[in-house]
Amino acid sequence: MVQYNFKNITVVPNGKDFIDIILSRTQRQTPTVVHKGYAISRLRQFYMRKVKYTQTNYYDKLSTIIDEFPRLDDIHPFYGDLLHVLYNKDHYKLALGQINTARNLISKIAKDYVRLLKYGDSLYRCKCLKVAALGRMCTVIKRVAPSLAYLEQIRQHMARLPSIDPNTRTILICGYPNVGKSSFINKITRADVDVQPYAFTTKSLFVGHTDYKYLRYQVIDTPGILDRPFEDRNIIEMCSITALAHLRAAVLFFLDISGSCGYTIAQQAALFHSIKSLFMNKPLTIVCNKTDLQPLEGISEEDKKLVMEMKAEAMKTVIGQGGEPTDDQGVLLTMSTLTEDGVIAVKNAACERLLDQRVEIKMKSKKINDCLNRFHVAIPKPRDQKERPPCIPQAVLEAKAKQAAEKEKRKTEKDLENENGGAGVYSASLKKNYILANDEWKEDVLPEILDGHNVYDFIDPDILQRLEELEQEEGLRQAEEVDDDFEMDGKELTPEEQQALAEIRKKKSLLIQQHRIKKSTAESRPIVPRKFDKDKQFTTRRMGRQLSALGLDPSKAIDRARSRSRGRKRERSPDNECGDAMDIDVDTPNKKLRMRSRSQSRSVSRPPGEVVPGEGFKDSAQKVKAQKLAKKSSKKRNKDARRGEADRVIPTLKPKHLFSGKRSTGKTDRR
Amino acid sequence: MPQGDYIDLHRKRYGYRLDHFERKRKKEAREVHKRSQIAQKALGIKGKMFAKKRYAEKAQMKKTLAMHEESSTRRKVDDDVSKGAVPAYLLDRENTTRAKVLSNTIKQKRKEKAGKWEVPLPKVRPVAEDEMFKVLRTGKRKTKQWKRMITKATFVGPAFTRKPPKYERFIRPSGLRFTKAHVTHPELKCTFNLDIIGVKKNPNGQMYTSLGVMTRGTIIEVNVSELGLVTPAGKVVWGKYAQVTNNPENDGCINAVLLV
C-alpha cells in the first residue's frame, strides 16, 4: 500500500549546500593527517578512502531522493493525475532522471580515479588525483543543481497537499464558482475554507471530515469549474476535474438558483451537461443553494425545465445503483447555507445514498460471502397465533422493586447537601460519626499548641497501656533495690569494712561500666596501639600508682621506663592527682565515651534496646533495619580511625614493611 | 495549487502581532552584529570558507557602490588622425603603400622546414628518466632490472597488442592508458571531448614519442570530425593537432589546446 503521505520525503538540499555538506563530512569523518614519509601504500589508501567515502555519500543521498519521490505510475491514479496536473509529469520524470544520471556518473568517476590512484607514486600525485576526483564529482552536482531546486519546490508543495484517501467514503462538491460550495463545507465540517465574494476564492482541493451513522466521511471541496472545452482548462479547474474523474464519491452538484454568483441557471445547466460523463456510477445529487434569496418555486419556467432535465439525469444514476426508479427524495434538494436551512438534510441524503451504493457493491462482491454467515439472527417461525411474552419470575420482580425503594429511602450526604442549600452553602459535619467514650466530646475543639509544645507530639493512642507497664516496672525495680541491701554472713559490717565494701562496689561498677562502653563501641572504635594513646592513660605515674597500690616501690621502675623513652615532651596536661587507687577518674576521661554512656535523652520507662516506630518508618522492624544499615556504613570507617567519608588521608604512603626486604623464592622477574 | 497560503490566511483574518514590526526591525538590525560575531569566532575550515564568501560579497558590494557613484561626465574625445588620412585636395590621388605580403602556404612551408611551430607552451619542464620509468625487478631471485614501467599517461593505438611479456621492456599499464582528451578551441573558448588519434611529438625525446607517452607539452593528434571543420577546398577536416596543457598523471585526464 503506497502511502499518500508525502510529508515524509526528506529535504532536498540545493546544489551548493549539497556539495558543502558532503565535502565537510568527508573532511570530518576520514583521517586528515598524512606525511610525505609514510609508506606509499599507506598514502594511496589514505586518498583512496577519501574518494570512496565521498562517492558513497553522494550515492546514498541521491538514492534517497530518487527512492522517496513517488513514481507517478505506482500510486493511485487520482494522485498520479493530480501530480501531473500540478507539476507536469514529464518535467518531474526528467528531473529525477537527471539525478539518476548524476549518481551513475559520480560512481564512474570514483571508480576511474581509484584505479588511477593505484599508480600514484608520491604524496603530491595522489593528492592531486584526489582533488581532481572530488572536484569532478562536485561539478556533476553543480550541473544538476537546477533539478535539485525544482525537486525541492515540488517536495514542499507535495507535503502540503490535502491528505485525501481515495478508497474511503467521499463526498465531492462541484459546481460553478461562487455558488456556495465552500460555505457548505464550512457548515458541515470543521474545515476552515476561505469564503469571499469573488470567484475562484478556492484555488485548490480542500478536505473536511464529517460523521453520519457512526461512520466518517471525507468531504472534498473543489474549485469552481467554468464551462469551457477541455483543452482550455487551467490548472485549478483541472484539479477538480481530476478529482471528479478518479474518486468514487457521491457528487453534489451545486446550483445557484438566485443567480447571484453571476451565472444564470442556463449556464450552470450547460456546465452540468458537459461534465455529466464524469458522473457515471456515482450517486449524484442536485443541490439548489441560496434559497433564501430565491426559492425554488419562484424561478421561471425555462429554468424549471432545465432543472427538471438535470434531475432526470440524476435519476439515471439512481437506477444504475439499483434503487427504485420512483425514489426521488435524495436527488433534488434545496438549502441555504446562510440560514442553515436544509444543510443537514442535504448531507444526510448524500451520505445515505453513498452508503447504500457502497453496501450494494460490497454485497455483490465475492468477499461478502465470508462474512454473510456471521450476520444471521435466528428468529423462530411462529407456529400459531399465541402470544408468548418473556417470562420473569415474581421473586425477581419483587427484589428489583425493593432495591429501587431502598435506594430512595436511604438519605445520602448528597441529598442532605442539596436540601440545605447546595454545595457552596452547606458544609457537611465530618464529626458526627465519631466513636468516642462520651458522645458529648464530639464537638470539642482539640488544641494544637500547649505551653509551647505541640500537643500532637504527646498524644499516644496506647498511652494508658504504657502507663500500666511503667508502673509495673517501677514496682519491680523497687523490689530489686530492697534486695541489694543484704548482709554478708549475717554479721554487721564495721564502718571501715562498709567503706571498703562501698569502694569496692563503686570500683566494680565503674569497671563494669567502662567495660560495657568499650564493648558497645568496640565495633566502631579504631584499635589504637598503646603508643598513640590520646588520653595519656599509660603514663609512668599511673604505673607508679598501681605499683604502690600493690605495695611495691615504683621509683626504680619509673626511672627505668623514663630512661628508655625517647625525648619525652614536657607534659602540659595537668595530671589528675587523686589519691585513690583508681586508674580511672571519677568521671570517664574520654569525653566521647562519656557522651555515649549518657546517651540521648530517652525516657527511662523504655528498655534500652527498644526502638520506637516513628520518624517516617512504618514499623519498628524497618527502623531497626535502617539503624543497622547506618551503623554498618560507618563501622569500617571508624575502625580505620577515619573522620568521615571524605577522609582519605594515607598516613604513610610507603610503609616500610611493604617496601623493604628482599623477595624470597617465587615467581618474580624483578629483584 | 498554492497550499502554503495558510500564513497569509491567518494574517488576513487576525492581523499581525502588536509588536510584530518592531521585532522584525530589531531582528534585522541585530543580524549585522551576529554576522560579525560569527566571522570573528568561526575557526578552522568553516572560518576559511566563511571568510572567502564574505570577501567575495564585500568585493561585489564595493563594485556596486563604485558604479552608483559614477556620474556622467563630459570628456573631450580625442580623435586621432588616422594614418593615411588624406586632406580633401589630395583625395583623388591614390597613394599606395607597398608592402610585401607572403602567401600563407610559403609561411607554413618555411615553418615546417625550420621545425618550429607556434605552440601555446613553447617551453616545458624536462622530465627525468627516473621520474618517467619505474624499475621493475624480475627473475626468480628478483635481481634482473631491465624492465621498466611507465608512470605517466600513455596512448596506445586501437590495434595495439603487447609483446610477449618475457620480452617487453617497457610496460604501459592499462590503467594509465587514455583514449580521449578534453580539447579546448582557443577562439571559440569551448571544450570538446575528442578521441586521440596518435602522439605526434613529445618534447622530452623521441623515445617517449615512440612509446606514446603524453606529458605536459606533448603534441597529439585528435579527431575533430565532430567540430565540422571544412577546408577552403571543400574537404572535411577530421584530424588536427593539439598540445597537452596539464599533467595527466596528476589530474587523471588530458587537457589540450587545439592548434589552429
Side-chain angles (χ1 to χ4, degrees):
Chain A
M1 222 287 265
V2 185
Q3 57 175 19
Y4 297 115
N5 190 11
F6 298 132
K7 303 183 204 293
N8 286 345
I9 306 178
T10 41
V11 181
V12 178
N14 74 348
K16 221 193 279 179
D17 287 345
F18 198 5
I19 295 173
D20 280 342
I21 290 169
I22 300 282
L23 286 181
S24 68
R25 186 185 281 187
T26 308
Q27 193 242 344
R28 281 197 327 265
Q29 304 282 6
T30 51
T32 51
V33 179
V34 75
H35 294 300
K36 227 173 15 177
Y38 288 176
I40 188 66
S41 58
R42 190 170 165 190
L43 291 171
R44 283 186 197 143
Q45 194 200 40
F46 178 84
Y47 285 111
M48 275 201 269
R49 182 173 174 174
K50 287 200 187 264
V51 171
K52 243 342 188 143
Y53 188 78
T54 312
Q55 182 260 332
T56 319
N57 277 336
Y58 270 129
Y59 188 88
D60 289 337
K61 281 214 179 290
L62 292 173
S63 299
T64 49
I65 294 174
I66 293 171
D67 291 334
E68 285 190 351
F69 273 85
R71 281 174 205 236
L72 296 181
D73 306 319
D74 288 347
I75 53 182
H76 193 274
F78 164 63
Y79 271 104
D81 263 358
L82 188 66
L83 293 179
H84 174 51
V85 161
L86 293 169
Y87 315 128
N88 195 358
K89 198 156 49 166
D90 299 328
H91 282 174
Y92 180 81
K93 280 190 178 170
L94 260 172
L96 284 177
Q98 278 193 355
I99 303 279
N100 194 25
T101 327
R103 186 176 66 165
N104 292 341
L105 279 175
I106 289 178
S107 299
K108 236 184 341 166
I109 290 173
K111 207 160 56 156
D112 286 340
Y113 275 87
V114 162
R115 200 180 51 202
L116 270 172
L117 267 166
K118 292 192 193 137
Y119 294 105
D121 49 8
S122 70
L123 178 97
Y124 178 70
R125 189 159 153 186
C126 292
K127 186 172 180 181
C128 286
L129 284 168
K130 163 233 173 201
V131 165
L134 295 195
R136 274 174 95 161
M137 289 192 231
C138 296
T139 316
V140 170
I141 298 292
K142 248 201 284 188
R143 272 207 319 256
V144 116
S147 293
L148 289 171
Y150 171 73
L151 283 172
E152 170 62 14
Q153 286 230 339
I154 286 191
R155 181 202 71 89
Q156 280 182 0
H157 201 274
M158 261 206 276
R160 297 204 195 106
L161 287 177
S163 44
I164 298 176
D165 186 357
N167 299 322
T168 176
R169 303 162 285 273
T170 318
I171 298 177
L172 204 55
I173 310 177
C174 62
Y176 250 88
N178 244 353
V179 294
K181 307 187 285 294
S182 303
S183 324
F184 178 67
I185 194 177
N186 281 345
K187 284 278 179 296
I188 55 171
T189 70
R190 283 201 63 195
D192 217 355
V193 186
D194 220 14
V195 174
Q196 298 285 350
Y198 57 86
F200 287 106
T201 316
T202 310
K203 299 196 237 322
S204 57
L205 299 175
F206 285 95
V207 189
H209 293 85
T210 181
D211 295 318
Y212 178 72
K213 281 192 181 165
Y214 308 110
L215 289 170
R216 187 140 267 216
Y217 287 76
Q218 264 180 159
V219 187
I220 299 183
D221 178 25
T222 65
I225 316 171
L226 294 173
D227 192 14
R228 286 204 276 219
F230 188 73
E231 303 76 34
D232 290 350
R233 294 199 187 278
N234 59 23
I235 294 180
I236 302 176
E237 290 172 341
M238 282 307 293
C239 288
S240 7
I241 301 286
T242 315
L244 269 175
H246 289 286
L247 294 173
R248 283 184 330 163
V251 181
L252 293 173
F253 187 84
F254 269 52
L255 204 53
D256 179 2
I257 47 180
S258 69
S260 60
C261 64
Y263 304 98
T264 64
I265 297 187
Q267 286 171 312
Q268 298 179 44
L271 172 70
F272 177 83
H273 290 294
S274 66
I275 59 173
K276 67 184 173 193
S277 57
L278 292 168
F279 297 151
M280 279 216 285
N281 297 336
K282 299 189 174 77
L284 174 64
T285 307
I286 316 275
V287 178
C288 301
N289 198 11
K290 305 194 188 172
T291 49
D292 51 314
L293 294 172
Q294 164 84 293
L296 182 61
E297 293 70 28
I299 54 176
S300 64
E301 279 305 313
E302 309 92 52
D303 292 339
K304 218 177 250 180
K305 206 165 59 161
L306 289 166
V307 172
M308 286 308 137
E309 267 176 39
M310 290 202 279
K311 184 175 167 186
E313 280 292 333
M315 290 296 291
K316 284 193 206 155
T317 59
V318 175
I319 297 169
Q321 267 175 254
E324 285 97 45
T326 52
D327 179 23
D328 66 345
Q329 345 141 280
V331 183
L332 180 68
L333 298 161
T334 61
M335 70 169 194
S336 165
T337 49
L338 196 62
T339 60
E340 295 189 37
D341 172 35
V343 169
I344 305 291
V346 168
K347 171 191 131 184
N348 288 348
C351 293
E352 189 68 45
R353 285 189 60 192
L354 182 66
L355 195 59
D356 288 340
Q357 191 209 27
R358 282 174 79 99
V359 166
E360 278 283 328
I361 291 175
K362 281 215 177 105
M363 297 286 278
K364 288 193 195 137
S365 75
K366 290 198 199 132
K367 282 198 221 168
I368 197 72
N369 294 330
D370 308 331
C371 318
L372 214 51
N373 44 5
R374 294 189 217 155
F375 289 156
H376 185 59
V377 176
I379 300 176
K381 250 198 305 205
R383 57 171 182 204
D384 55 18
Q385 299 303 93
K386 205 159 145 195
E387 185 85 9
R388 291 188 175 89
C391 169
I392 303 174
Q394 189 62 20
V396 171
L397 281 172
E398 283 172 12
K400 272 201 178 155
K402 204 166 64 173
Q403 226 182 29
E406 244 181 39
K407 258 208 176 134
E408 290 174 20
K409 246 197 282 177
R410 191 182 66 189
K411 204 170 199 184
T412 58
E413 286 292 329
K414 196 109 177 108
D415 296 335
L416 208 55
E417 191 184 77
N418 288 335
E419 275 175 21
N420 292 345
V425 179
Y426 170 81
S427 61
S429 159
L430 301 163
K431 301 187 189 179
K432 74 177 181 198
N433 288 331
Y434 277 7
I435 303 168
L436 297 169
N438 187 350
D439 275 341
E440 289 167 11
W441 296 342
K442 273 192 196 174
E443 299 297 322
D444 285 354
V445 176
L446 194 65
E448 288 180 10
I449 299 180
L450 192 63
D451 293 342
H453 299 284
N454 283 340
V455 165
Y456 249 70
D457 287 345
F458 293 90
I459 287 182
D460 191 352
D462 305 330
I463 195 135
L464 290 174
Q465 198 190 15
R466 299 234 174 265
L467 189 61
E468 277 185 35
E469 285 174 18
L470 250 180
E471 284 175 357
Q472 274 184 4
E473 273 181 47
E474 279 293 321
L476 282 171
R477 189 134 29 96
Q478 278 177 358
E480 269 181 29
E481 274 183 17
V482 167
D483 286 338
D484 273 349
D485 275 348
F486 71 99
E487 292 173 346
M488 251 171 52
D489 297 339
K491 266 191 301 183
E492 278 273 346
L493 294 167
T494 59
E496 302 89 16
E497 281 177 349
Q498 263 182 346
Q499 203 188 19
L501 182 63
E503 277 175 21
I504 290 171
R505 282 202 176 131
K506 225 196 276 184
K507 186 172 175 189
K508 191 172 171 192
S509 70
L510 274 167
L511 273 173
I512 292 172
Q513 204 182 35
Q514 208 193 25
H515 178 74
R516 279 213 184 113
I517 290 165
K518 237 186 5 178
K519 198 167 132 192
S520 72
T521 59
E523 268 188 356
S524 50
R525 208 167 20 100
I527 295 173
V528 185
R530 204 174 250 221
K531 68 178 179 176
F532 292 127
D533 78 313
K534 218 166 47 167
D535 315 323
K536 308 228 189 286
Q537 279 180 325
F538 306 104
T539 57
T540 46
R541 214 169 289 182
R542 179 176 179 250
M543 187 175 73
R545 250 188 283 131
Q546 281 185 327
L547 288 174
S548 48
L550 290 172
L552 303 163
D553 182 23
S555 43
K556 269 193 166 172
I558 287 173
D559 289 335
R560 215 178 321 139
R562 280 197 182 144
S563 70
R564 277 227 192 118
S565 66
R566 330 171 248 174
R568 263 171 55 224
K569 281 201 210 144
R570 292 183 130 235
E571 285 183 353
R572 290 275 199 98
S573 59
D575 216 4
N576 291 38
E577 207 82 43
C578 28
D580 330 343
M582 284 211 275
D583 338 338
I584 314 166
D585 298 337
V586 179
D587 295 327
T588 49
N590 196 344
K591 185 176 177 198
K592 222 192 224 178
L593 293 178
R594 206 188 321 137
M595 292 300 285
R596 285 260 187 80
S597 62
R598 318 278 176 72
S599 47
Q600 298 89 342
S601 55
R602 200 200 288 145
S603 66
V604 193
S605 58
R606 294 231 158 95
E610 197 206 345
V611 168
V612 183
E615 294 170 357
F617 297 102
K618 75 171 187 242
D619 55 14
S620 311
Q622 204 187 42
K623 192 168 181 184
V624 160
K625 190 168 176 193
Q627 282 177 350
K628 273 200 191 146
L629 281 174
K631 278 204 193 134
K632 185 176 174 194
S633 69
S634 60
K635 189 160 118 180
K636 190 155 185 250
R637 280 199 303 274
N638 292 341
K639 274 265 169 207
D640 284 341
R642 301 210 173 268
R643 254 177 270 121
E645 276 179 6
D647 185 356
R648 293 207 209 114
V649 165
I650 303 173
T652 38
L653 276 171
K654 293 177 120 190
K656 194 167 175 191
H657 69 280
L658 295 176
F659 286 90
S660 64
K662 292 188 194 152
R663 257 162 294 150
S664 53
T665 53
K667 180 170 176 279
T668 177
D669 49 6
R670 322 173 289 283
R671 289 234 164 245
Chain B
M1 55 199 186
Q3 292 276 358
D5 54 355
Y6 54 94
I7 297 178
D8 293 325
L9 195 62
H10 186 275
R11 282 191 180 151
K12 210 165 40 158
R13 284 186 186 162
Y14 305 107
Y16 290 95
R17 268 177 80 130
L18 294 169
D19 53 1
H20 168 86
F21 294 105
E22 173 150 344
R23 278 175 63 164
K24 192 164 166 199
R25 182 182 59 84
K26 285 191 129 177
K27 187 162 186 189
E28 277 160 20
R30 258 181 272 136
E31 287 302 316
V32 184
H33 295 283
K34 264 204 171 156
R35 188 177 49 194
S36 107
Q37 230 187 21
I38 294 172
Q40 287 172 31
K41 284 198 184 166
L43 299 170
I45 189 82
K46 248 194 204 170
K48 284 187 195 162
M49 282 168 65
F50 185 83
K52 188 165 172 206
K53 214 166 32 154
R54 185 80 187 121
Y55 177 77
E57 274 175 31
K58 281 191 178 168
Q60 188 62 33
M61 226 186 323
K62 258 196 176 166
K63 276 194 201 150
T64 43
L65 282 173
M67 240 167 55
H68 284 306
E69 277 178 8
E70 260 181 13
S71 50
S72 52
T73 53
R74 285 160 46 140
R75 288 199 199 92
K76 200 165 134 191
V77 174
D78 230 351
D79 270 337
D80 283 324
V81 178
S82 49
K83 219 172 174 183
V86 164
Y89 52 86
L90 284 177
L91 263 178
D92 284 343
R93 318 290 168 84
E94 279 176 12
N95 273 351
T96 49
T97 45
R98 287 179 187 273
K100 285 204 163 172
V101 179
L102 269 178
S103 69
N104 265 349
T105 38
I106 299 180
K107 276 192 203 163
Q108 270 209 3
K109 281 216 183 98
R110 275 201 194 155
K111 267 199 204 153
E112 259 184 52
K113 209 161 51 163
K116 266 205 193 337
W117 288 85
E118 235 178 57
V119 283
L121 300 173
K123 280 208 187 90
V124 287
R125 189 178 74 86
V127 178
E129 203 178 291
D130 58 352
E131 196 184 327
M132 184 75 80
F133 297 128
K134 181 169 131 95
V135 177
L136 287 182
R137 284 171 172 264
T138 52
K140 198 171 188 184
R141 311 266 175 259
K142 299 277 188 250
T143 48
K144 302 196 189 175
Q145 291 184 41
W146 53 273
K147 280 188 181 241
R148 300 280 182 274
M149 183 171 88
I150 297 179
T151 59
K152 305 275 180 196
T154 56
F155 172 75
V156 296
F160 173 75
T161 34
R162 293 164 61 189
K163 274 162 79 165
K166 189 169 158 139
Y167 299 110
E168 63 176 345
R169 174 131 51 112
F170 295 105
I171 296 177
R172 278 162 283 197
S174 59
L176 288 173
R177 292 185 200 161
F178 289 92
T179 49
K180 280 182 171 260
H182 306 309
V183 182
T184 313
H185 196 288
E187 268 130 50
L188 300 175
K189 303 271 188 244
C190 49
T191 315
F192 305 95
N193 200 9
L194 305 174
D195 285 322
I196 304 176
I197 300 172
V199 175
K200 175 80 179 150
K201 185 163 174 44
N202 191 314
N204 291 309
Q206 41 104 298
M207 174 171 68
Y208 302 130
T209 312
S210 61
L211 281 173
V213 174
M214 290 185 286
T215 55
R216 188 157 193 257
T218 312
I219 311 285
I220 58 175
E221 198 176 348
V222 287
N223 183 344
V224 295
S225 48
E226 75 173 46
L227 270 80
L229 301 170
V230 181
T231 58
K235 299 211 184 106
V236 176
V237 177
W238 74 281
K240 255 190 169 306
Y241 290 132
Q243 188 182 31
V244 177
T245 51
N246 73 330
N247 288 319
E249 69 276 3
N250 285 349
D251 295 333
C253 57
I254 303 182
N255 296 342
V257 150
L258 202 61
L259 302 175
V260 283

